Amino acid sequence: IKCPKLLSLSSNKFLSPLSFSHVLQSSRKKDSKMATFELYRRSTIGMCLTETLDEMVSNGILSPEHAIQVLVQFDKSMTEALETQVKSKVTIKGHLHTYRFCDNVWTFILQDALFKSEECQETVNRVKIVACDSKLLTQ
C-alpha cells in the first residue's frame, strides 16, 4: 500500500490580510452560538478557500459578509468532521525544536517528525502542531 502524503505544511508561510478582514471582527460578536477555533484556516484547504473568497470579494462576485459566513461555516464543519468522522490514530515521534503554551493553546514545532498509523508511515522535515482543548468550545 502506498502511503498518501499525511501533511503538507509550511511554517514559513503567512497569510496576507484579507480585503474583507474588517468584517471578521463584527461577525465574531454576532455568531456566539457556537464557539470554534480558526486553526483550520491555516491548513492547505483553508488557505485555498480563503484565497478564493478573497478573489471573489475583490471581483464583486461575493459580498464580504457572505465570505465571512462561509469561513465561519468552514470552521464549524471542520471541527464537527474531525470530531465525528475521523477514527484513525497516529503516533508522532520527532525532535522537539520549540514549544509554547499561551492562552490555552499549545504550539509545538517538530523536526524530522515520523507520523505512523496502522496503514503507513511518513517522515516530515518540519511540522508545526497547534493544539487546543476542545472543552473550550463548549464554554
Side-chain angles (χ1 to χ4, degrees):
I1 299 173
K2 187 172 180 179
C3 183
K5 208 59 160 154
L6 291 175
L7 291 176
S8 175
L9 299 175
S10 172
S11 60
N12 296 327
K13 289 187 177 179
F14 296 98
L15 290 177
S16 59
L18 296 174
S19 59
F20 54 89
S21 61
H22 65 282
V23 183
L24 182 58
Q25 301 302 323
S26 61
S27 72
R28 286 185 183 145
K29 295 173 189 168
K30 294 176 190 172
D31 191 23
S32 59
K33 294 175 189 168
M34 179 183 174
T36 58
F37 294 119
E38 297 174 1
L39 298 174
Y40 309 113
R41 293 183 191 182
R42 293 295 305 250
S43 66
T44 303
I45 191 170
M47 289 171 42
C48 289
L49 174 63
T50 303
E51 289 173 15
T52 301
L53 291 171
D54 188 36
E55 186 176 318
M56 292 175 78
V57 168
S58 297
N59 292 335
I61 298 169
L62 195 63
S63 72
E65 292 79 13
H66 283 119
I68 294 300
Q69 287 177 352
V70 170
L71 284 174
V72 169
Q73 184 59 51
F74 172 76
D75 297 335
K76 291 178 185 178
S77 297
M78 285 295 292
T79 301
E80 182 183 337
L82 290 172
E83 272 183 21
T84 60
Q85 296 179 15
V86 177
K87 305 294 181 206
S88 55
K89 296 187 184 217
V90 175
T91 59
I92 306 168
K93 291 183 182 180
H95 173 73
L96 181 60
H97 180 267
T98 308
Y99 67 94
R100 176 182 22 220
F101 182 71
C102 182
D103 295 333
N104 291 317
V105 177
W106 279 102
T107 304
F108 303 95
I109 297 179
L110 301 173
Q111 291 179 327
D112 301 320
L114 175 66
F115 288 77
K116 194 184 256 185
S117 69
E118 292 177 5
E119 298 87 30
C120 62
Q121 67 182 29
E122 182 77 26
T123 302
V124 179
N125 192 22
R126 185 176 168 107
V127 65
K128 179 178 182 178
I129 299 173
V130 180
C132 302
D133 189 351
S134 64
K135 293 175 188 168
L136 296 174
L137 291 173
T138 58
Q139 292 179 348

